[in-house]
Amino acid sequence: MRCWPNLLVGILLWLISACAAAQIQTAAPGVFYSVALHDIADSEDQLDDSGITSDRLVAFFEWLAGNDWTPIRLDDIARAQRGEIRLPEKAILLTVDDGRSSTFTRVYPLALTYRFPVVAAVVGRWMDTPAGETVTYGRQQLPRSAFITWDEARQMQASGFIEFASHTFNLHREEIGNPQGNGLPAAVTRRYDPARGYENEAAYRARIRRDLQRARDGMQKHLGRAPRALVWPYGRYNQTTLEIARAMGFEFSFTLDPEPAQLAAPSSAVPMEIARYLPTENPSLGEWVSAMQFIDPWTNTRRIVPLNPAAFASGSAQVTNLRLGTALENLLTLGTTNVLIDALAADEHGRIEASWFPTETLPLRQDLLSRLAAQMSARAGTRVIIRFPHRQALHTLGSTAAVEQLCRDLGRYVPFDGLLLEDVASLARQPADPQDTPWQMRARRQRTDFSHWPLADRLAMRCFAIIEEERSGLQLFWRAPQYYPLMRGAALADVTLVPGPTSNPIPLARDARDPAPPDGLSPYQHIAHRTGLWGYTGGKANVAEIRNAILHYQSYGGTTFGWEPQDLIDNRPPADILAPTNSARAFPPRGTFKKDTTPPADQPGEKAP
């Protein structure tokens, strides 16, 4: 083991000042906090985005010890779940993923020194790689020595302070997820084979089950016990993978959902979706403590730009790639945080004709939606919102069952972050509570009875729920009716977009139905992160109108804005002119994008950058 003789002395003064700035928030009953560590290194130049320097990890452990936090074990969670004990008010679960060598040389010594229990997750294939060979870690090759050995794992386990969890056997990688060759997270992707097409549900379930079982068997062999906890690679999971893990006997599973962790609902025997905070970019202690407790949990800035797959569709892969490259450059210039992509193809009268993803219910215009979504996320650093016209789909397909299957296929085959629903008037019934957190709002949505809603509105919420089963963490965007009060977010929507002509911005007045803000705070500050202005500029977007509308909206505290039309291929209106007004303040998000000038991959088997 290595030691750092002057480390604590060197950080002492910094630690005292950082602790004074750190905020402490007491958890509600049944709620605790969890941190997902990865690699630990002595200097920043040795880190990747999720790495932490040794001095900052020591500072964090020292802060926990000095501020009466109680690091807990999985046993504590299990007992609390059974009602045998109550978790401490300041409980924290420490975890470390991937089994990097620093788990043994950095985290383990600290666990022994501070007497802190830690859950460590290892990947079976990496652990089984022979000495002297390399491990495929993301998109780089690392020597086997960069990871712990089974001997080291046994030594750590014997201490009583390290419990090992499965990080799967070989799901910590990407699978080819579409005909164009985009690599997508293996656990939630129906892989694409050029000869056989997409993996069917039976094959997908069997693949996940085999992998989890192989990892369990390996840990049983090398550690003498099967793991009771499962850590999803990249934090990606869905209800199918949870169902399989639960049936196999896993008692816990861990995500990277950005929220406090909590015990399972009374109806569930085990907590299978334990959320964790992932510290990135080597945060200072103050940043770490604040972010870990999700004190300001709503996304504070969104710039949304629409995208129609029809503009990219072509019989020539080269033409499609050229159009896509141009669009990506213009998105970067605009400083966009979200793209809004249409899921279905319609004729000039708005009637649904086909889909942009494989489905059993509509003709396939071109299998393009997954490609666009993956490239916008990976190469432009944007989050993807899919616009789903549920009323038009119902009119075309004629049955709610067919629309539900359409939604199920959308969730299975397309990677995206948010679903935009339009014409759901029932969402206007209850205004957003300014004190709600995203997880409180989501829980309210899940327990709401929609049976008394009109058929089309009920179908919209059913579609969202179906897709959410495949895309955990999915956000609901709702386009409100015109002249809906801009500051009144919908209680059941993450984001409410209010449409209006940019030449005549919607007044930001409050009415009696809006919740009263707490004393001393403007009402706009409380709902601003859950509402946005969606501008319509007619047949031709006008730069001056868009800029004036953004500035007017921002003067009232607004942070979410979008408009249409926007031609990302012909660059109308010009991105460089709009960028100074539109660009998000912190774009691209730190660690999410590095500009890549290579052309998009187009052949099956290639992984797009």
Side-chain angles (χ1 to χ4, degrees):
M1 300 180 192
R2 299 181 188 178
C3 60
W4 318 280
N6 298 317
L7 189 54
L8 288 175
V9 175
I11 67 171
L12 182 59
L13 294 178
W14 171 84
L15 177 61
I16 293 172
S17 62
C19 287
Q23 301 182 57
I24 302 175
Q25 180 171 297
T26 301
V31 173
F32 57 100
Y33 297 98
S34 186
V35 172
L37 303 172
H38 285 76
D39 194 23
I40 313 298
D42 289 340
S43 61
E44 288 198 353
D45 61 359
Q46 298 173 303
L47 298 178
D48 57 20
D49 290 342
S50 58
I52 301 294
T53 52
S54 302
D55 60 336
R56 294 197 171 181
L57 181 60
V58 172
F60 180 63
F61 274 40
E62 187 69 16
W63 182 86
L64 292 175
N67 285 275
D68 301 321
W69 282 80
T70 303
I72 58 176
R73 300 172 183 268
L74 294 182
D75 284 337
D76 298 318
I77 299 174
R79 293 182 63 198
Q81 185 67 44
R82 294 192 298 266
E84 297 173 2
I85 63 170
R86 181 171 177 171
L87 292 177
E89 288 186 348
K90 293 162 69 175
I92 185 167
L93 182 70
L94 302 172
T95 70
V96 56
D97 294 358
D98 295 355
R100 296 294 298 271
S101 60
S102 58
T103 304
F104 184 70
T105 62
R106 298 290 185 271
V107 178
Y108 177 46
L110 288 174
L112 295 177
T113 300
Y114 286 88
R115 316 291 290 179
F116 286 175
V118 174
V119 176
V122 292
V123 176
R125 179 173 289 280
W126 300 347
M127 294 293 288
D128 288 348
T129 299
E133 296 189 10
T134 60
V135 169
T136 301
Y137 187 69
R139 296 183 181 179
Q140 57 182 323
Q141 295 294 315
L142 296 182
R144 175 61 182 85
S145 59
F147 299 85
I148 64 171
T149 65
W150 284 119
D151 283 340
E152 290 169 336
R154 284 189 287 270
Q155 179 180 331
M156 287 187 276
Q157 180 177 269
S159 74
F161 285 96
I162 309 295
E163 176 169 344
F164 282 91
S166 171
H167 209 9
T168 76
F169 182 79
N170 193 30
L171 295 179
H172 202 301
R173 61 189 180 88
E174 295 177 335
E175 289 279 6
I176 300 302
N178 54 41
Q180 297 84 7
N182 288 100
L184 302 172
V188 295
T189 298
R190 276 66 174 178
R191 61 186 178 192
Y192 180 84
D193 185 298
R196 293 187 291 270
Y198 286 96
E199 183 177 41
N200 63 36
E201 286 307 292
Y204 169 68
R205 286 174 172 268
R207 172 168 62 86
I208 300 300
R209 190 177 296 106
R210 283 194 306 271
D211 184 281
L212 299 187
Q213 188 61 54
R214 186 173 181 183
R216 282 174 70 87
D217 292 344
M219 296 181 74
Q220 175 71 56
K221 173 184 175 182
H222 291 285
L223 298 178
R225 65 182 68 169
R228 56 177 171 172
L230 174 61
V231 176
W232 297 112
Y234 314 113
R236 302 298 181 87
Y237 65 102
N238 56 36
Q239 292 305 307
T240 299
T241 59
L242 289 178
E243 174 191 322
I244 294 170
R246 187 179 291 110
M248 294 179 64
F250 282 101
E251 300 176 38
F252 311 89
S253 77
F254 291 89
T255 77
L256 291 175
D257 295 336
E259 59 192 61
Q262 53 189 316
L263 300 179
S267 60
S268 176
V270 293
M272 291 297 287
E273 297 177 68
I274 300 177
R276 298 181 298 163
Y277 162 63
L278 172 64
T280 59
E281 305 291 345
N282 196 30
S284 67
L285 180 61
E287 292 171 331
W288 189 331
V289 171
S290 177
M292 178 189 77
Q293 298 178 92
F294 306 100
I295 293 169
D296 183 16
W298 293 101
T299 301
N300 58 21
T301 300
R302 293 182 183 87
R303 296 292 184 268
I304 308 171
V305 170
L307 186 157
N308 187 344
F312 298 84
S314 170
S316 165
Q318 183 177 10
V319 170
T320 296
N321 282 339
L322 288 173
R323 292 171 180 173
L324 181 55
T326 299
L328 289 167
E329 290 297 325
N330 287 327
L331 281 174
L332 291 169
T333 300
L334 280 168
T336 305
T337 63
N338 299 73
V339 291
L340 174 63
I341 311 179
D342 290 300
L344 304 176
D347 63 18
E348 64 273 15
H349 303 293
R351 291 188 293 263
I352 301 301
E353 292 185 315
S355 69
W356 297 108
F357 59 93
T359 177
E360 301 174 7
T361 58
L362 282 172
L364 178 63
R365 176 66 56 84
Q366 188 171 336
D367 192 352
L368 190 58
L369 190 56
S370 173
R371 165 69 161 174
L372 293 175
Q375 291 292 89
M376 295 297 159
S377 175
R379 297 192 64 192
T382 64
R383 297 180 71 81
V384 176
I385 309 166
I386 297 296
R387 175 158 43 192
F388 184 76
H390 68 286
R391 288 180 179 269
Q392 293 93 317
L394 179 60
H395 179 75
T396 298
L397 297 175
S399 75
T400 58
V403 177
E404 290 177 2
Q405 182 59 51
L406 183 64
C407 293
R408 193 166 287 109
D409 292 334
L410 175 60
R412 286 173 176 170
Y413 297 114
V414 182
F416 62 103
D417 309 290
L419 185 74
L420 176 69
L421 295 173
E422 303 175 306
D423 299 324
V424 188
S426 299
L427 283 171
R429 294 179 179 179
Q430 184 180 356
D433 184 339
Q435 307 307 316
D436 264 356
T437 62
W439 48 94
Q440 289 170 331
M441 180 275 305
R442 185 178 67 245
R444 180 181 296 110
R445 185 167 59 214
Q446 291 171 347
R447 65 174 178 262
T448 297
D449 179 9
F450 300 109
S451 62
H452 61 286
W453 284 24
L455 174 63
D457 290 2
R458 190 165 68 243
L459 176 62
M461 300 308 294
R462 174 61 182 152
C463 280
F464 180 87
I466 288 171
I467 297 171
E468 189 179 28
E469 291 180 358
E470 294 289 345
R471 300 289 160 188
S472 183
L474 186 72
Q475 291 187 320
L476 174 58
F477 288 70
W478 173 52
R479 189 184 72 86
Q482 197 167 12
Y483 306 118
Y484 184 86
L486 183 56
M487 66 155 296
R488 189 194 305 134
L492 302 181
D494 295 85
V495 181
T496 298
L497 297 176
V498 179
T502 56
S503 58
N504 183 24
I506 298 168
L508 304 179
R510 218 180 143 254
D511 73 20
R513 291 180 295 172
D514 295 324
D519 293 340
L521 294 173
S522 163
Y524 306 116
Q525 292 176 304
H526 293 272
I527 304 297
H529 295 172
R530 293 187 62 182
T531 60
L533 184 61
W534 186 252
Y536 290 91
T537 61
K540 183 178 181 181
N542 182 286
V543 173
E545 287 182 2
I546 294 171
R547 292 176 64 181
N548 289 339
I550 293 175
L551 293 172
H552 174 79
Y553 179 44
Q554 288 177 324
S555 70
Y556 284 90
T559 62
T560 295
F561 191 91
W563 69 88
E564 58 184 334
Q566 172 69 42
D567 190 330
L568 291 172
I569 297 173
D570 289 339
N571 196 26
R572 295 196 305 264
D576 57 342
I577 296 177
L578 281 173
T581 306
N582 179 74
S583 182
R585 182 174 299 177
F587 182 82
R590 291 194 305 169
T592 63
F593 174 75
K594 293 183 175 68
K595 187 170 181 180
D596 193 333
T597 58
T598 60
D602 189 63
Q603 298 301 317
E606 295 181 4
K607 291 185 178 179

